[in-house]
Amino acid sequence: MWKRGTEVKLIIATIKPFKLEEVRVALTDIGIRGMMVTEIKGFGSQSGHTEIYRGAEYEVNFVPKIKLELVVPADQADQVVETITNTARTGKIGDGKIFVLDVSQAVRVRTGETNQDAL
Ligand SMILES: Nc1ncnc2c1ncn2[C@@H]1O[C@H](COP(=O)(O)OP(=O)(O)OP(=O)(O)O)[C@@H](O)[C@H]1O
Ligand SMILES: [Mg+2]
């Protein structure tokens, strides 16, 4: 059965905190209507290293980042990735990472609408 809006993707992106407002505006400009924003700490290829303390290994040197989570129509995912990449890039280390995942279901709680209709 043909069903409208069956395909949505989850885009998880980490960016430098000072880039949040610029990225939000750029995403709004391409029609993105919702996202989750979380302050996180993490490390990538430079900043993380491990240390042994009382026999256990600890990771140190976490760097503050902003994590964005957006569920978008699958056919808009490339545009969203491109927009985040172009807007968040400074060209220096630590500009972040973007991951794209398949979503098996999205639901709007108020109405029970699903997938693209739930966005
Ligand atoms: N493999 C990973 N899995 C999950 N999150 C990651 C991973 N690598 C990096 N991150 C996230 O990205 C952040 C680091 O971003 P960063 O841009 O420094 O990555 P990088 O791989 O070191 O690239 P760069 O060379 O540009 O610094 C971390 O805080 C974490 O949020
Ligand atoms: Mg890094």
Side-chain angles (χ1 to χ4, degrees):
M1 189 184 99
W2 183 81
K3 214 171 147 196
R4 190 167 108 76
T6 44
E7 268 196 51
V8 290
K9 300 260 185 193
L10 169 61
I11 296 168
I12 302 175
T14 55
I15 61 172
K16 288 177 170 165
F18 83 93
K19 281 287 189 179
L20 174 60
E21 187 56 18
E22 205 182 323
V23 169
R24 185 192 63 76
V25 169
L27 290 171
T28 304
D29 284 350
I30 62 162
I32 292 301
R33 285 172 298 172
M35 76 182 87
M36 304 187 206
V37 179
T38 316
E39 293 179 14
I40 61 149
K41 289 178 184 172
F43 65 86
S45 40
Q46 300 83 18
S47 46
H49 63 270
T50 56
E51 217 170 75
I52 307 289
Y53 177 72
R54 295 192 173 174
E57 203 173 43
Y58 289 86
E59 282 141 2
V60 295
N61 283 359
F62 289 99
V63 179
K65 299 279 177 190
I66 295 288
K67 180 173 73 170
L68 307 175
E69 293 164 287
L70 304 93
V71 175
V72 303
D75 59 10
Q76 203 182 9
D78 287 347
Q79 188 190 18
V80 169
V81 169
E82 215 170 280
T83 299
I84 296 171
T85 305
N86 292 339
T87 313
R89 179 183 289 139
T90 67
K92 303 219 169 72
I93 58 169
D95 278 350
K97 284 270 198 284
I98 305 177
F99 306 112
V100 181
L101 292 76
D102 291 329
V103 172
S104 39
Q105 197 180 25
V107 179
R108 186 194 306 278
V109 172
R110 175 168 55 85
T111 57
E113 290 165 290
T114 59
N115 299 333
Q116 288 190 23
D117 294 331
L119 305 183

